[in-house]
Amino acid sequence: MQNENFIKGQGAQRNVVNRFDRYTYEPEDEDFETVKTSFTEVFPKTIVNQVKSEDLPMEYSMNPYQGCEHGCSYCFARPTHEYWGYSAGIDFERKIMVKKNAPELLEKFFQKRGYKPAPILLSGNTDCYQPAERQFEITRKILQVCLDYRHPVNVLTKNALVLRDLDILQPLAEQNLVSVSLSIPTINEELRRKMEPRTSSAKNKLKAVEILSENKIPVNVMVAPIIPGLNSDEPLAILKAISEAGAQSFGYTLVRLNDTVEPVFVQWIETFFPDRAQKVLNLIRSMRGGKLGEKRYFDRQKGEGNIAEMIHNTFKIGRKKYFDGNEFPKLSTTNFTGAKDQQLRLFD
């Protein structure tokens, strides 16, 4: 039974202590109810990040927003908000930093002499199609730059808003320059409202998979994260649904609660699932060597113990049953020249 004292449409229920602050201020409960989402323009000098993690497949990522309104309590990006002087709790969801100069910075990056193109993940940290994108359209402008320069881009999102940009995604796909990964951790709508309160509904996400596929845009689905005791009974049902909708591949992750993600998630599970909170937390610990988090490369992806093994085996069965023989296309880098007009290269 859900605790009645909760903030509607919110993942984090409180701010948590910033690891880098000596002093903290915790507003009264009613203050959280009245605070509206604020947007602050920031001016980064670069937008493309080189990914150095040994167990991640991408070489580059970029993030037009810092912070995310979607409200997923387990989001691994929450601790990055602390570097800006904010909390990984409610601040992460309500104080959003906007990088309006991202398209210009990306264009400068493409024009660097000696740059060798490789697919860029949009976004690797916070969601590029979170609600703020309706207002600012930074992601749309970034995709247009990728199209102008014929540069490959992988889009990762939880939001069906991606369909707004079909007019750019279609010509990108025609040149094998884009793929879309939609995050669908559950198709149980009641659970979805609690796990990711401000994302698109499960129904709309599945519809987005279908529409993207119909438009010949390669679609991958991230069934992530798997939280034992919450959505760990859903993998086969999700894989069946996304296969029927036209997804070509899938990935998945096991939940891990590093740093200040842990107190946010613990508050969330105790608020929304007080009757099974300790069971879920103990199941997570069983996959993480007695802890709730894991930072070691490769180990953080696979977990350990019987619960983790059961989840891995379930996905193996689902892959064989619904995705056997599928191969996700590799994006092309051959038409990138570092200029909008390919003819300009004739004069170099």
Side-chain angles (χ1 to χ4, degrees):
M1 185 176 180
Q2 180 176 304
N3 190 322
E4 294 183 358
N5 297 317
F6 72 98
I7 304 174
K8 187 177 181 181
Q10 195 78 39
Q13 295 297 298
R14 297 287 185 275
N15 268 331
V16 293
V17 175
N18 186 322
R19 295 168 293 163
F20 307 112
D21 284 352
R22 289 182 60 190
Y23 305 104
T24 61
Y25 164 69
E26 183 72 9
E28 297 294 333
D29 290 352
E30 56 266 24
D31 291 343
F32 287 128
E33 298 283 359
T34 57
V35 171
K36 303 296 183 183
T37 301
S38 64
F39 303 100
T40 302
E41 184 176 1
V42 293
F43 302 90
K45 295 182 179 179
T46 60
I47 192 63
V48 179
N49 310 302
Q50 187 171 12
V51 179
K52 299 180 180 180
S53 298
E54 301 171 14
D55 56 351
L56 295 178
M58 74 289 294
E59 189 169 342
Y60 296 107
S61 70
M62 57 181 165
N63 301 279
Y65 303 99
Q66 174 63 39
C68 184
E69 294 177 85
H70 278 156
C72 309
S73 64
Y74 46 77
C75 180
F76 67 87
R78 285 182 177 275
T80 63
H81 225 47
E82 297 174 300
Y83 293 104
W84 297 82
Y86 294 121
S87 169
I90 288 178
D91 283 352
F92 180 77
E93 301 174 39
R94 294 196 179 180
K95 297 182 184 297
I96 309 299
M97 279 158 282
V98 180
K99 305 173 186 178
K100 293 182 181 180
N101 64 341
E104 291 77 17
L105 292 174
L106 180 61
E107 193 163 4
K108 289 179 181 179
F109 180 78
F110 287 163
Q111 293 170 351
K112 285 184 177 180
R113 282 195 173 273
Y115 168 63
K116 296 181 180 179
I120 297 176
L121 177 63
L122 175 69
S123 322
N125 200 22
T126 56
D127 202 307
C128 59
Y129 279 107
Q130 60 178 284
E133 172 62 16
R134 293 186 183 278
Q135 174 182 348
F136 296 105
E137 297 191 351
I138 302 172
T139 297
R140 179 176 175 82
K141 293 171 186 174
I142 286 173
L143 290 176
Q144 184 62 56
V145 172
C146 289
L147 179 59
D148 290 343
Y149 282 81
R150 300 161 302 282
H151 192 284
V153 58
N154 295 304
V155 178
L156 173 60
T157 182
K158 291 173 172 281
N159 204 314
L161 179 59
V162 65
L163 295 178
R164 180 201 64 188
D165 296 334
L166 275 175
D167 61 320
I168 303 176
L169 295 171
Q170 286 172 322
L172 280 167
E174 288 171 2
Q175 301 178 63
N176 193 24
L177 292 174
V178 71
S179 71
V180 175
S181 289
L182 272 161
S183 175
I184 306 180
T186 178
I187 54 176
N188 177 331
E189 184 58 17
E190 183 179 352
L191 178 58
R192 197 279 311 167
R193 290 192 190 101
K194 296 175 181 177
M195 281 184 65
E196 38 179 36
R198 300 185 71 187
T199 64
S200 299
S201 68
K203 179 181 178 181
N204 285 344
K205 288 185 190 180
L206 289 173
K207 187 64 178 178
V209 172
E210 183 179 339
I211 292 173
L212 290 165
S213 299
E214 288 173 351
N215 283 275
K216 298 182 180 179
I217 297 162
V219 183
N220 174 74
V221 169
M222 286 301 298
V223 188
I226 296 298
I227 304 173
L230 280 187
N231 65 341
S232 53
D233 61 337
E234 289 194 70
L236 291 180
I238 295 174
L239 296 187
K240 181 177 186 293
I242 65 174
S243 174
E244 291 174 348
Q248 293 177 255
S249 66
F250 72 88
Y252 69 97
T253 61
L254 306 180
V255 68
R256 56 189 175 92
L257 308 172
N258 290 340
D259 300 321
T260 38
V261 181
E262 179 178 328
V264 172
F265 182 87
V266 170
Q267 288 174 356
W268 174 82
I269 193 91
E270 290 178 345
T271 298
F272 289 95
F273 299 95
D275 55 333
R276 51 175 150 160
Q278 291 309 310
K279 176 184 177 182
V280 170
L281 293 172
N282 287 333
L283 288 171
I284 296 172
R285 290 186 182 99
S286 77
M287 300 192 304
R288 299 299 183 189
K291 301 176 294 183
L292 291 174
E294 177 60 81
K295 294 184 179 180
R296 294 174 296 174
Y297 291 142
F298 302 102
D299 289 332
R300 62 182 180 171
Q301 306 289 6
K302 61 186 181 181
E304 62 181 61
N306 294 335
I307 300 299
E309 184 178 0
M310 179 189 71
I311 293 170
H312 293 316
N313 288 338
T314 300
F315 277 103
K316 286 178 183 177
I317 293 169
R319 189 179 300 279
K320 185 171 182 61
K321 186 170 184 178
Y322 300 112
F323 291 87
D324 193 30
N326 284 19
E327 187 172 341
F328 202 69
K330 185 177 180 180
L331 300 186
S332 172
T333 59
T334 56
N335 293 323
F336 176 83
T337 63
K340 288 184 179 180
D341 184 353
Q342 296 190 61
Q343 296 301 314
L344 294 176
R345 284 295 180 182
L346 297 177
F347 303 97
D348 282 357

